[in-house]
């Protein structure tokens, strides 16, 4: 699996190529979470966002389908008492309906064959009135082509299904019927746009 192969080097690549965004993204994502919240994170990767979420919320279940990534995430968050790591498929979450106050899926929507199906799953396990938080790299350069970092990852074997600019990212959610979406942009070499939707009560 691609992610198992790169798990040991992923943080190094992010810090070298896109360090400012990678450093700020966890805190920016956690700013939408409250102290009493129960949070589910999908596609947690090496736990960079998980670490910030766990320090803010009451409890966090962080999931990924890559054992290699989960190993790195457990190391990063080893001293935190309120986070649990599990293997899980974002398309088929083994959690009951309306289980979490907040659901986070970072930098994964653009890699999925069925992003709409994933969003339905995230919405299903989110409580009424809860938040669905989707940080995603907006990697389309001014010339309309994916930037260097994306092209490099593609050469390594990563299969991007979509490439977003900030405008097309907003249009993506509109096309799926999400009209009241808040956006926060973490700016840097490869910016990350955090989309935040509140599930109707």
């Amino acid at each position: 699996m691609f992610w198992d192969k790169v798990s040991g080097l992923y943080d190094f690549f992010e810090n070298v190529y896109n360090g400012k965004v990678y450093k700020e993204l966890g805190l920016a994502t956690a700013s939408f979470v409250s102290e009493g919240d129960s949070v589910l994170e999908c596609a947690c990767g090496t736990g960079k966002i998980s670490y910030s979420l766990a320090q803010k919320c009451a409890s966090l279940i962080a999931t990924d389908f890559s054992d290699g990534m989960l190993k790195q995430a457990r190391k990063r968050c080893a001293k935190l008492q309120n986070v649990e790591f599990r293997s899980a498929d974002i398309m088929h979450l083994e959690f009951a309906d309306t289980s979490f106050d907040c659901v986070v899926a970072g930098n994964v929507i653009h890699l999925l064959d069925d992003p709409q199906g994933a969003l339905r799953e995230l919405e299903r396990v989110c409580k009424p009135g809860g938040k669905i938080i989707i940080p995603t790299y907006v990697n389309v350069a001014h010339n309309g082509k994916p930037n260097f970092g994306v092209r490099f990852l593609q050469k390594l074997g990563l299969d991007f299904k979509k490439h977003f600019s900030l405008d097309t990212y907003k249009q993506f959610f509109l096309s799926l019927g999400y009209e009241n979406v808040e956006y926060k942009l973490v700016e840097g070499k490869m910016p990350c746009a955090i989309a935040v939707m509140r599930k109707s009560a």
Side-chain angles (χ1 to χ4, degrees), residues 83-170:
V83 56
E84 175 187 350
F85 290 96
R86 296 187 193 178
S87 179
D89 177 359
I90 191 173
M91 303 303 302
H92 305 284
L93 297 171
E94 296 181 356
F95 300 103
D97 295 356
T98 66
S99 293
F100 300 95
D101 296 300
C102 294
V103 182
V104 178
N107 295 314
V108 66
I109 289 296
H110 55 316
L111 304 176
L112 301 174
D113 289 316
D114 182 15
Q116 185 174 6
L119 286 167
R120 283 196 299 267
E121 264 297 82
L122 299 177
E123 192 167 352
R124 179 184 67 79
V125 300
C126 186
K127 294 178 181 178
K131 293 177 182 176
I132 302 163
I133 305 169
I134 314 290
T136 303
Y137 287 127
V138 286
N139 55 40
V140 175
H142 294 298
N143 60 9
K145 298 180 180 179
N147 63 25
F148 168 79
V150 171
R151 297 196 303 272
F152 177 75
L153 291 170
Q154 286 176 316
K155 287 182 178 179
L156 292 179
L158 183 55
D159 183 16
F160 286 82
K161 305 299 183 183
K162 290 183 179 294
H163 298 285
F164 292 113
S165 66
L166 180 57
D167 287 340
T168 59
Y169 191 53
K170 292 179 178 180

Side-chain angles (χ1 to χ4, degrees), residues 62-67 70 74 85-89:
T63 69
D64 203 290
F65 66 75
S66 165
D67 291 335
L70 286 170
R74 288 187 178 101
F85 290 96
R86 296 187 193 178
S87 179
D89 177 359

